Amino acid sequence: MSEMIETARLLLRPWKTDDRAEAASLFRYASDPDIGLLCGWPPHTSVEGSLNDIRNILAVENNWAITVKEHGGEPVGSIALKSVGHRTIDPVKADGALMERYGKYLGDDTLELGYWIGRPFWGERLHARGVERRARLCVRYVA
């Protein structure tokens, strides 16, 4: 499920692994401490490090660059589907009330949708459009 998704303003597409301009754009937004720390990773410190992250972390199945058409198609964020990890599962399993309410959603095939978007685009509801389109595709994909 690596195809692109397009809205009026966005294109969600696979990451380009050998493109320094792609890495420079990622660095521009991912070096903001308020982005990385909220997402659980350290701020990016160099374009080369961002290129390495594209190659080794982002350019995988079910992970897409969020691009804004009127900004030349450069990536301004990322959206991904991934297996639900133990950091989510363990607290739910440890709490009887949470397990009763949410345990049915924690099977082996459970996925979570995560995303981040660069600070200049906060408040523009771009992430909501991208999440909505990705979620629709997921429902078709798993149904």
Side-chain angles (χ1 to χ4, degrees):
M1 189 169 73
S2 296
E3 68 260 19
M4 294 186 278
I5 297 244
E6 193 166 356
T7 72
R9 293 186 65 200
L10 299 178
L11 177 64
L12 308 180
R13 61 161 175 77
W15 286 90
K16 298 175 185 173
T17 58
D18 292 314
D19 186 331
R20 286 199 64 80
E22 184 105 334
S25 181
L26 174 61
F27 174 72
R28 185 176 310 112
Y29 301 109
S31 61
D32 181 338
D34 287 337
I35 304 248
L37 297 176
L38 286 172
C39 296
W41 37 265
H44 288 210
T45 58
S46 70
V47 172
E48 191 60 41
S50 292
L51 184 60
N52 187 52
D53 284 355
I54 289 170
R55 290 176 177 155
N56 297 308
I57 299 170
L58 298 174
V60 296
E61 185 177 16
N62 298 330
N63 194 324
W64 301 268
I66 299 172
T67 68
V68 180
K69 293 176 183 177
E70 61 261 28
H71 288 279
E74 69 177 15
V76 299
S78 184
I79 187 166
L81 280 171
K82 56 187 175 181
S83 297
V84 174
H86 71 89
R87 290 183 184 162
T88 301
I89 293 173
D90 292 350
V92 172
K93 287 184 175 180
D95 183 310
L98 289 176
M99 189 61 186
E100 184 176 327
R101 186 168 184 181
Y102 300 109
K104 63 186 172 191
Y105 302 113
L106 299 179
D108 291 337
D109 58 354
T110 303
L111 299 173
E112 63 182 336
L113 182 70
Y115 62 89
W116 67 269
I117 195 157
R119 182 191 301 265
F121 305 96
W122 292 3
E124 291 191 30
R125 298 195 39 81
L126 294 173
H127 63 282
R129 291 179 182 97
V131 167
E132 178 185 357
R133 292 298 290 266
R134 186 54 58 197
R136 284 186 200 162
L137 177 64
C138 293
V139 169
R140 287 197 319 262
Y141 179 71
V142 299

